[in-house]
Amino acid sequence: MQIRDMQTEVHVARHDPVGRISPNVYGQLSEHLGRCVYGGIWVGEDDGVPTENGIRMDTVELLRDLNTPVLRWPGGCFADDYHWTDGLGPREERPRRRNMWWTQGRDNLPEESNAFGTEEFMDFCEMLGTEPYLAVNVGAGDPDEAVDWAEYCNYDGDTEITRLRAKNGSEEPHNVTYWGVGNENWGCGGRFSPEQYAEQFRRYANYLRGFDRVMADESLELVACGHITDSWNRRFLEHLAECVSFGQGTVYNLLDHLSVHRYHHSGSDTEFTDDQYYRLLARARQVGEDIDRAAEALQLFAPGTDIGIIVDEWGVWHPEAVFDNGLEQENTVRDALSAASVLDDLNKRADVVSMANIAQTVNVLQCLVQTNEDSAWPTPTYRVFDLYKQHMGATALRTVVDTEVRAVKSIGNEFNADSEHEVPLVTASASEQDGQVYVTLSNLHRDDAREITVTVESDGVTIEDAQALFGGLPADLYSTETNAERFTPEEIEAENHGDGTVVVDAPAGSTLGLSVQV
């Protein structure tokens, strides 16, 4: 590895706005997998923790504090073998089905009880004040099933399906905006080629758009499943155009968002070398590159459209998270630092990123909340989301970081064709709202603290708040029920030079939030 010396300065260009940071960038994914839903969100009649309609209120309270904007459900791979009508009606009468992709609960059973279905999910979203994002079954379903679900959720008339909704306790529609047309249909969702998925997408989208135009308020936003490779997305978009259209517009009016997924790891969850520490951070930076390539494909095939990029699955997936343990892993400071880096990259691309969903909400992979039978606690990554939530809905500002760079040599083709990948040892993003500029930055160096100069384009600023996460904590420290408070933020000193320049000392492996009034 090499380190090249550069100054540690962060320049915030107030007069060069990027775009509004959609609150949905801070979304999450909850899948019927391991202890995410069953045990983490839903416990039914279990009186070990306070519940409301079977939903754990300790989990709800933690997620409420994050202002969770959007929640994707029921998957993930599970979505493409899920039939939504199975999760309706009296719980004791719901069919017990296979879960062909994952085992669930402590017993690791590949079975789905359907105790948690559409109405329970909508209850959960209402408790959180969050937008639901539903993924329809393309792999094992059909367009009619998808449209029926949309009718159940969104139609306010009098049909057999809306009467069924009323019978299940919801007289009023749920008004679901976001609909994913399948999930990873290049893999677990059917192993379609790009051309085959284009055929499937336009079938589903045609009928969902028709329903929305005639029976709803034309508010549905459809998400197409993309890939992290250039060729897949380009072949999909090219073939999508090869259909007969009628009326105004082009075939690209069928989609509002194109999604990509990115998981990364290096070493184990709690044991890793210095090389693996920085390699994980290098791999996390690929999320931003995936977005750039997807945006380039859209610009090539659908110029002039406002199709957004969604990263609706992202996060760290360590080797310890396997099928047999419900994809559970320890959640460390290193993982949280990688999340801060990704969120900075998402903020910087506010003009093209319309949503992102970390995987997953509770207990699974890079979760925000962990639970046992009688308590729930936040992970280090939760603390990062909490620190960053001030960016939600604000205007992203162009941010330039001059810092040391760590060069990580490529193993095979992990960084595409590049021989190495550069990791800036300070990452940052900034936003402005109502005269307040909020800067988040991380010192990613594992061992060394550093002085960081933040310059805001202003004659002067007033420092309102400065906080740091993880100062003095080792990178391999992970959250447990008994140590969760160790990851809370601490107030730090920030030196105001009076000319729009603020200097802070960032401990090794720390994430900072700096709020100034301009």
Side-chain angles (χ1 to χ4, degrees):
M1 292 187 180
Q2 291 181 322
I3 292 180
R4 290 200 295 272
D5 290 330
M6 297 178 68
Q7 293 181 333
T8 306
E9 297 183 352
V10 176
H11 182 84
V12 178
R14 283 191 61 226
H15 305 296
D16 191 6
V18 178
R20 177 178 179 269
I21 299 173
S22 170
N24 290 341
V25 165
Y26 294 85
Q28 299 145 31
L29 162 67
S30 290
E31 185 171 2
H32 288 236
L33 159 60
R35 294 190 306 117
C36 184
V37 172
Y38 297 112
I41 295 171
W42 168 266
V43 291
E45 303 302 320
D46 186 347
D47 59 1
V49 292
T51 62
E52 185 175 320
N53 297 330
I55 294 171
R56 293 183 67 132
M57 294 310 295
D58 51 2
T59 295
V60 168
E61 288 165 8
L62 283 168
L63 295 176
R64 274 179 183 161
D65 287 344
L66 290 183
N67 301 331
T68 299
V70 63
L71 187 61
R72 181 171 177 246
W73 177 84
C77 291
F78 178 78
D80 271 297
D81 196 42
Y82 177 67
H83 300 283
W84 66 273
T85 54
D86 289 344
L88 300 178
R91 205 159 283 110
E92 65 277 7
E93 297 177 10
R94 297 181 189 181
R96 191 172 186 87
R97 302 291 193 195
R98 65 176 178 258
N99 186 332
M100 65 181 291
W101 294 114
W102 309 116
T103 58
Q104 296 188 94
R106 297 256 188 223
D107 297 331
N108 291 328
L109 287 174
E111 300 172 6
E112 170 56 50
S113 70
N114 284 302
F116 189 90
T118 299
E119 292 298 336
E120 288 78 15
F121 177 66
M122 296 302 169
D123 281 348
F124 185 51
C125 288
E126 185 173 354
M127 291 177 187
L128 298 179
T130 191
E131 286 280 333
Y133 167 18
L134 298 179
V136 305
N137 182 346
V138 170
D142 58 53
D144 193 49
E145 180 182 34
V147 174
D148 283 350
W149 203 7
E151 182 181 342
Y152 181 93
C153 291
N154 287 25
Y155 186 49
D156 64 357
D158 180 19
T159 65
E160 180 181 5
I161 287 180
T162 59
R163 291 172 190 168
L164 177 63
R165 185 185 68 224
K167 183 179 178 181
N168 289 325
S170 295
E171 292 280 350
E172 299 300 320
H174 298 300
N175 299 320
V176 178
T177 298
Y178 302 104
W179 295 80
V181 182
N183 168 80
E184 293 186 4
N185 298 99
W186 36 262
C188 61
R191 293 188 182 272
F192 295 126
S193 69
E195 292 79 11
Q196 289 171 324
Y197 177 64
E199 298 285 343
Q200 293 293 327
F201 177 83
R202 67 193 189 204
R203 285 181 66 225
Y204 277 73
N206 178 63
Y207 287 100
L208 287 166
R209 279 281 191 257
F211 158 79
D212 193 30
R213 183 179 64 254
V214 176
M215 301 180 69
D217 58 2
E218 297 192 79
S219 64
L220 294 194
E221 296 190 24
L222 303 184
V223 183
C225 171
H227 199 276
I228 57 175
T229 61
D230 283 340
S231 61
W232 206 96
N233 290 337
R234 294 185 180 207
R235 286 168 58 190
F236 163 71
L237 291 167
E238 183 176 30
H239 194 73
L240 188 63
E242 296 177 5
C243 74
V244 176
S245 63
F246 61 92
Q248 296 181 343
T250 72
V251 69
Y252 296 115
N253 294 132
L254 291 176
L255 70 153
D256 301 285
H257 311 272
L258 179 68
S259 80
V260 294
H261 294 175
R262 169 68 72 171
Y263 292 100
H264 42 274
H265 79 276
S266 184
S268 78
D269 54 358
T270 61
E271 296 183 4
F272 42 85
T273 64
D274 275 359
D275 177 89
Q276 291 166 335
Y277 171 87
Y278 291 106
R279 190 170 300 280
L280 178 78
L281 299 174
R283 290 176 173 174
R285 295 199 71 222
Q286 292 178 299
V287 173
E289 295 164 8
D290 295 335
I291 294 165
D292 293 341
R293 288 195 299 272
E296 289 170 2
L298 286 170
Q299 182 60 33
L300 177 63
F301 289 96
T305 65
D306 58 356
I307 298 169
I309 307 296
I310 289 182
V311 190
D312 52 12
E313 289 186 35
W314 69 270
V316 179
W317 187 332
H318 291 297
E320 288 74 15
V322 295
F323 181 89
D324 290 342
N325 71 356
L327 300 195
E328 292 195 38
Q329 62 192 26
E330 304 298 357
N331 283 262
T332 65
V333 168
R334 177 180 68 149
D335 299 332
L337 293 171
S338 76
S341 174
V342 170
L343 292 176
D344 284 334
D345 280 342
L346 294 173
N347 289 341
K348 290 176 181 177
R349 293 165 173 81
D351 55 336
V352 295
V353 178
S354 50
M355 187 190 298
N357 308 78
I358 194 169
Q360 294 191 9
T361 307
V362 189
N363 290 327
V364 173
L365 296 178
Q366 194 173 1
C367 56
L368 303 180
V369 173
Q370 292 173 295
T371 70
N372 56 24
E373 282 69 17
D374 54 15
S375 63
W377 61 93
T379 66
T381 297
Y382 175 102
R383 302 295 186 183
V384 168
F385 270 67
D386 194 37
L387 191 73
Y388 272 64
K389 67 185 180 185
Q390 289 190 51
H391 285 303
M392 294 165 60
T395 299
L397 305 176
R398 195 78 56 190
T399 305
V400 179
V401 180
D402 293 323
T403 186
E404 296 168 326
V405 175
R406 188 108 176 191
V408 178
K409 291 191 179 299
S410 178
I411 299 175
N413 63 348
E414 67 177 324
F415 302 128
N416 297 316
D418 297 332
S419 61
E420 63 180 26
H421 203 292
E422 293 184 342
V423 180
L425 294 183
V426 172
T427 181
S429 62
S431 64
E432 182 172 356
Q433 188 166 229
D434 299 326
Q436 183 185 68
V437 172
Y438 190 60
V439 183
T440 48
L441 56 90
S442 295
N443 173 15
L444 300 179
H445 199 290
R446 187 173 185 179
D447 302 307
D448 296 342
R450 63 195 53 236
E451 182 182 86
I452 300 175
T453 301
V454 179
T455 302
V456 179
E457 285 182 349
S458 175
D459 293 335
V461 300
T462 301
I463 299 172
E464 294 192 332
D465 188 46
Q467 298 185 74
L469 290 171
F470 318 132
L473 298 181
D476 58 0
L477 184 66
Y478 59 90
S479 53
T480 67
E481 179 183 9
T482 58
N483 77 357
E485 292 304 310
R486 293 189 64 184
F487 303 95
T488 55
E490 297 180 344
E491 297 290 330
I492 61 170
E493 293 294 325
E495 181 181 342
N496 190 346
H497 286 196
D499 58 354
T501 299
V502 176
V503 178
V504 293
D505 290 323
S510 65
T511 296
L512 279 58
L514 174 66
S515 179
V516 300
Q517 196 73 26
V518 294

